[in-house]
Amino acid sequence: MAFCSGSSSPVRGRRRSRVCVILAPAACCCLLLALAAPCSAAAGAARHDYGDALAKSILFFEGQRSGRLPAGQRATWRGDSAVSDGAAAGVDLEGGYYDAGDNVKFGFPMAFTATMLAWSVVEFGDSMAPAERSHAADAVRWATDYLLKTIAHPGVGDPWKDHGCWERPEDMDTERTVYNISAARPGSEVAGETAAALAAASMVFRDADPDYAERLLAGARRAFEFADTYKGAYSDDPQLRAGGCPFYCDFDGYQDELLWGAAWLRRASKDDAYLDYIQNNGKTLGAEDSTNEFGWDNKHAGLNVLVSKEFIEGEVLSLQSYKEFADGFICTLIPESSSPHIKYTPGGMIYKPGGSNMQHVTSISFLLLTYAKYLAKSSHTVNCGNVSVGPATLQLQARKQVDYLLGDNPMKMSYMIGYGDRYPQRIHHRGSSLPSIKSHPQRIACNEGTPYYSSSSSNPNPLIGAVVGGPGEDDAYEDDRADFRKSEPTTYINAPLVGVLAYLVGNPDPGHVRH
């Protein structure tokens, strides 16, 4: 079971000069066993309860919390953990999220998670019931409170030692080595993504907590300035590479994160300086790169959708090329178009090789629905050569993906824990698979967790709302805890799904796209 946690490519994590990467314990790779039982699954329904799925997708983040848990914690099987993170370096790095089924806190995917959670609320928060919008904002804040600390402090954790254990986060006792990104050891991708996260989050809190929103925006500006001033990828430095690779290596370069950070600062601040940055540096930083991927390591498709909003709404006509790039991405998702297409499984799921495929399903569905929203406010459509596509088509395409995830698939099972009658029982997640500290207060040491890992029994603590990596290209899912590529949940699978489900709650009629 390797940590390579649900990413289409290995996985990376490194923070910037003041963006720490906190690598915490417990992962997996070293345990060779496998086994598991056939999975239980949830039969798909003709019309899903998107409101129920939305509530659960947000609740999931409470099960991933690191640090001292708040009084209102709803995932009650969890306890306080990693409260002294950063202490060895004399800094406070408590908080944030464990990124997947281990007890690791990598800054890069956490920042992307925060960006997507915030974008979900900014774009579709009005479709959420007040209580769910409040929970979603809490989920954003849990990440941004931590990310604000990382702007001024180094990161911690030795992933290689940490990944040798199968233990609860509450029991962690592995060494917390400090890693620091600086002007001499830059990490523009982590700094740029952190800038995007803080800027997007500032919009979430603008009305309810304006002081916090201003603090977030100021932090975003500092993070972006560092990313742009000291350009470079963290994985190019041997020492930093040792702390981040192969877990979250930089496969696509840092240039997209610079544009992404600038785009979010532009949207949050309306500052023309960031618009100028995008227009003056877009070509140099690869804005014209053709890609049909969007995730923690590649922001191009999301960047094009985000930036095209101002052109679509008739505000900045000089951004037309971003609309054209976004159209090109959308056309790869439309089977009827003459463009080269993304791959779909026989059952209809978007599929990309590499494992943890649901991250592509949720992130691409989010872009489809966001673009549908932008198009619905204008007379624009997407020209895919032999076919013209409007917002209703994009909405239906995304709905099919969500319905597949929730149970309309060849396995007749939901890939969200707790949704429907049948769903995976043996997910690759330490806290979920080990007895809760509430029911078993005695410490379970590093190697003492191995029997639980190799057991064919169901996890004792259902991680409600978690979405696993999902089936392979043949639509098959074996419910095997050891098969982390399929059975491990991640925060960056769920983050865009929050917005997708909120959109569907607000647009229950498949034939109607609300403006």
Side-chain angles (χ1 to χ4, degrees), residues 430-447:
R430 285 159 181 68
S432 174
S433 67
L434 292 161
S436 167
I437 193 168
K438 305 294 178 64
S439 63
H440 187 288
Q442 297 79 19
R443 183 172 181 271
I444 299 175
C446 174
N447 294 327

Side-chain angles (χ1 to χ4, degrees), residues 14 21 38 55-56 62 134 176 188-189 236 245 248 292 307 320 365 434 451 454 492:
R14 184 26 9 195
V21 70
K56 287 170 177 170
E62 295 193 15
S134 177
R176 311 293 275 176
S188 295
E189 59 280 269
D236 288 344
C245 294
Y248 286 95
N292 62 352
V307 174
Q320 180 176 354
S365 293
L434 292 161
S454 57
Y492 44 89

Side-chain angles (χ1 to χ4, degrees), residues 397-415:
Q397 195 75 352
R399 185 185 295 268
K400 288 178 187 176
Q401 296 303 306
V402 176
D403 288 350
Y404 181 106
L405 185 157
L406 295 177
D408 295 353
N409 55 64
M411 296 294 295
K412 301 298 182 208
M413 70 182 300
S414 163
Y415 291 108

Side-chain angles (χ1 to χ4, degrees), residues 66-208:
S66 178
R68 274 174 274 260
L69 302 180
Q73 171 79 8
R74 295 177 295 164
T76 55
W77 52 274
R78 283 293 322 283
D80 296 347
S81 63
V83 298
S84 60
D85 276 348
V91 293
D92 170 21
L93 292 175
E94 180 187 349
Y97 290 114
Y98 301 119
D99 73 300
D102 48 29
N103 304 318
V104 181
K105 293 195 302 191
F106 283 111
F108 196 25
M110 194 192 305
F112 178 69
T113 292
T115 304
M116 295 310 298
L117 273 173
W119 198 1
S120 291
V121 177
V122 167
E123 212 67 72
F124 306 119
D126 288 347
S127 294
M128 299 178 185
E132 294 314 326
R133 194 188 188 289
S134 177
H135 288 314
D138 289 343
V140 174
R141 189 186 287 259
W142 195 267
T144 53
D145 280 352
Y146 174 80
L147 293 173
L148 283 170
K149 297 178 183 182
T150 71
I151 294 176
H153 299 298
V156 223
D158 185 325
W160 298 102
K161 293 179 181 177
D162 291 345
H163 286 185
C165 299
W166 190 266
E167 61 184 350
R168 302 176 299 200
E170 295 85 356
D171 291 330
M172 291 188 298
D173 59 357
T174 49
E175 186 177 345
R176 311 293 275 176
T177 306
V178 171
Y179 295 90
N180 184 33
I181 292 180
S182 63
R185 289 176 170 167
S188 295
E189 59 280 269
V190 187
E193 185 61 61
T194 299
L198 297 177
S202 74
M203 299 177 69
V204 173
F205 298 101
R206 184 170 290 159
D207 295 331

Side-chain angles (χ1 to χ4, degrees), residues 179-394:
Y179 295 90
N180 184 33
I181 292 180
S182 63
R185 289 176 170 167
S188 295
E189 59 280 269
V190 187
E193 185 61 61
T194 299
L198 297 177
S202 74
M203 299 177 69
V204 173
F205 298 101
R206 184 170 290 159
D207 295 331
D209 193 343
D211 290 341
Y212 187 61
E214 283 303 311
R215 186 180 166 211
L216 290 170
L217 192 56
R221 291 181 188 274
R222 293 200 309 276
F224 181 77
E225 182 180 0
F226 177 85
D228 188 49
T229 302
Y230 305 105
K231 294 182 178 71
Y234 62 79
S235 54
D236 288 344
D237 179 85
Q239 181 177 345
L240 298 180
R241 185 178 179 83
C245 294
F247 312 105
Y248 286 95
C249 292
D250 181 1
F251 296 96
D252 289 302
Y254 61 82
Q255 293 83 355
D256 53 329
E257 277 80 29
L258 290 178
L259 290 172
W260 181 240
W264 273 109
L265 275 161
R266 163 63 180 175
R267 180 155 178 186
S269 70
K270 303 300 183 187
D271 190 334
D272 286 344
Y274 297 109
L275 176 60
D276 292 342
Y277 184 94
I278 295 168
Q279 293 175 318
N280 296 335
N281 297 281
K283 189 165 186 176
T284 304
L285 295 176
E288 298 179 4
D289 291 355
S290 175
T291 177
N292 62 352
E293 185 171 345
F294 178 54
W296 60 262
D297 188 29
N298 192 320
K299 310 305 180 330
H300 284 294
L303 169 73
N304 293 333
V305 168
L306 179 65
V307 174
S308 67
K309 180 178 186 289
E310 288 196 82
F311 169 78
I312 291 173
E313 295 178 352
E315 296 175 0
V316 184
L317 299 184
S318 59
L319 296 174
Q320 180 176 354
S321 62
Y322 286 88
K323 202 268 183 183
E324 294 170 355
F325 301 147
D327 285 357
F329 162 70
I330 293 297
C331 290
T332 68
L333 307 173
I334 306 300
E336 296 79 18
S337 81
S338 55
S339 303
H341 295 124
I342 197 169
K343 183 175 181 179
Y344 289 84
T345 64
M349 177 184 66
I350 288 173
Y351 180 77
K352 283 179 169 291
S356 190
N357 188 68
M358 282 300 176
Q359 68 180 308
H360 305 299
V361 171
T362 61
S363 63
I364 289 175
S365 293
F366 182 93
L367 294 185
L368 281 166
L369 294 178
T370 300
Y371 209 48
K373 178 183 175 182
Y374 297 166
L375 293 173
K377 291 182 177 180
S378 72
S379 58
H380 289 275
T381 56
V382 179
N383 184 355
C384 295
N386 60 323
V387 60
S388 181
V389 179
T393 300
L394 307 189

